[in-house]
Amino acid sequence: MLQLHNVFKTYKTEAIQVPVLQRLSLLIEQGEFVAIMGPSGSGKSTLMSIIGLLDTITSGTYFLNGKDVSVSSDKELAKYRNKHIGFVFQQFHLLPRLSALANTELPLIYAREKKKIRKEKAHRALEIVGLRDRMNHYPNQLSGGQKQRVAIARAIINNPDVILADEPTGSLDSKTGEQVMSIFSEFNREGKTIILVTHEPEIAQYAQRTILLRDGIVVEDRRR
Ligand SMILES: Nc1ncnc2c1ncn2[C@@H]1O[C@H](COP(=O)(O)OP(=O)(O)OP(=O)(O)O)[C@@H](O)[C@H]1O
Ligand SMILES: [Mg+2]
């Protein structure tokens, strides 16, 4: 379960302060499938970075599985993130010089996992996303949908409880986007929490709950 309470996030540069999230409170239970929507600049990616422990809040509290993460050290956060959270982005973020298999293995390399276990888990993750037959391909030898599936394999390799996807279908045609979404739906059926940012209502349909952000506050929170 993750719980944000009265969260403010302000980006401070030398010249100005940019308030992005303003007294945002949000509770997401384990196993939910949530879509976050809202206009460009409303704070969706900022919220995802905070939820995923890539960025910290300016004030307020953030409890993750009962633990106040606003007081955790960077090292603790990195460790937690690697084990429990998987990220998927619009632009895939694959390393061009690594094969699909090596890209998938990356989180395990950071975690200093043994080679044999890395290979086994990466094979398994690529199988789940239907890409066993492409594991030796490099990113420039893969279609957009295949690249995103490699990114998903990488995100799930540690069997995280939460998957955060920021416009994962934003660079895909609608048919390929549907394939990617059905992979997320399957993970959700297995009990994983999925939090997804999207601009597309058809993509948001896959979620059971839609949260609408505007100027850094929740203006709508609907369950189906
Ligand atoms: N590192 C930063 N420093 C200063 N301002 C930032 C920074 N990151 C984001 N912002 C500002 O915070 C606001 C929210 O940005 P964010 O990326 O969260 O929006 P978004 O809802 O994801 O938009 P989009 O739909 O275009 O992806 C924007 O006005 C942006 O300019
Ligand atoms: Mg964004």
Side-chain angles (χ1 to χ4, degrees):
M1 181 187 80
L2 56 94
Q3 184 167 28
L4 296 159
H5 187 65
N6 284 346
V7 165
F8 285 77
K9 174 66 181 179
T10 304
Y11 287 112
K12 297 184 177 85
T13 63
E14 277 160 39
I16 49 159
Q17 296 202 351
V18 187
V20 180
L21 302 181
Q22 316 203 49
R23 193 171 281 115
L24 183 141
S25 296
L26 188 62
L27 178 85
I28 298 177
E29 303 278 3
Q30 177 65 37
E32 281 199 84
F33 191 159
V34 182
I36 298 175
M37 303 189 79
S40 180
S42 58
K44 304 180 299 296
S45 295
T46 301
L47 176 60
M48 294 289 266
S49 302
I50 287 170
I51 290 174
L53 307 173
L54 291 170
D55 203 350
T56 53
I57 58 181
T58 307
S59 67
T61 55
Y62 178 17
F63 280 83
L64 188 54
N65 291 331
K67 191 170 154 40
D68 181 0
V69 288
S70 44
V71 298
S72 300
S73 69
D74 287 351
K75 204 174 158 188
E76 282 175 310
L77 294 180
K79 202 169 164 194
Y80 189 94
R81 191 166 60 229
N82 199 298
K83 216 168 154 193
H84 296 278
I85 303 173
F87 291 91
V88 179
F89 302 94
Q90 179 176 359
Q91 299 300 338
F92 323 129
H93 293 194
L94 300 179
L95 297 183
R97 289 168 181 281
L98 296 183
S99 67
L101 183 69
N103 267 289
T104 305
E105 272 180 61
L106 277 177
L108 298 180
I109 290 174
Y110 298 141
R112 297 164 189 271
E113 187 60 90
K114 288 196 195 75
K115 192 172 173 184
K116 184 163 178 276
I117 295 176
R118 284 198 329 248
K119 300 283 174 220
E120 277 170 16
K121 287 190 174 177
H123 282 184
R124 174 88 189 105
L126 285 165
E127 189 170 337
I128 290 171
V129 300
L131 277 183
R132 278 283 311 234
D133 59 340
R134 291 289 185 276
M135 67 186 185
N136 294 319
H137 283 228
Y138 287 82
N140 67 1
Q141 301 167 329
L142 296 168
S143 71
Q146 289 170 340
K147 278 186 247 199
Q148 193 58 298
R149 278 146 65 196
V150 173
I152 294 172
R154 180 184 57 190
I156 59 159
I157 194 158
N158 275 326
N159 195 24
D161 5 271
V162 181
I163 295 172
L164 301 177
D166 196 344
E167 300 192 47
T169 62
S171 302
L172 306 176
D173 62 74
S174 57
K175 185 140 199 313
T176 313
E178 281 167 25
Q179 287 168 3
V180 162
M181 289 312 298
S182 59
I183 296 174
F184 287 130
S185 293
E186 181 58 33
F187 292 150
N188 180 245
R189 274 193 290 278
E190 291 165 6
K192 293 191 193 305
T193 309
I194 314 283
I195 307 174
L196 156 103
V197 169
T198 183
H199 285 284
E200 302 161 79
E202 309 80 57
I203 296 297
Q205 290 290 321
Y206 286 84
Q208 295 121 15
R209 178 179 174 193
T210 305
I211 291 167
L212 183 62
L213 279 191
R214 193 163 289 148
D215 298 329
I217 51 177
V218 175
V219 292
E220 212 178 285
D221 188 346
R222 269 186 301 132
R223 281 190 170 80
R224 275 198 289 129

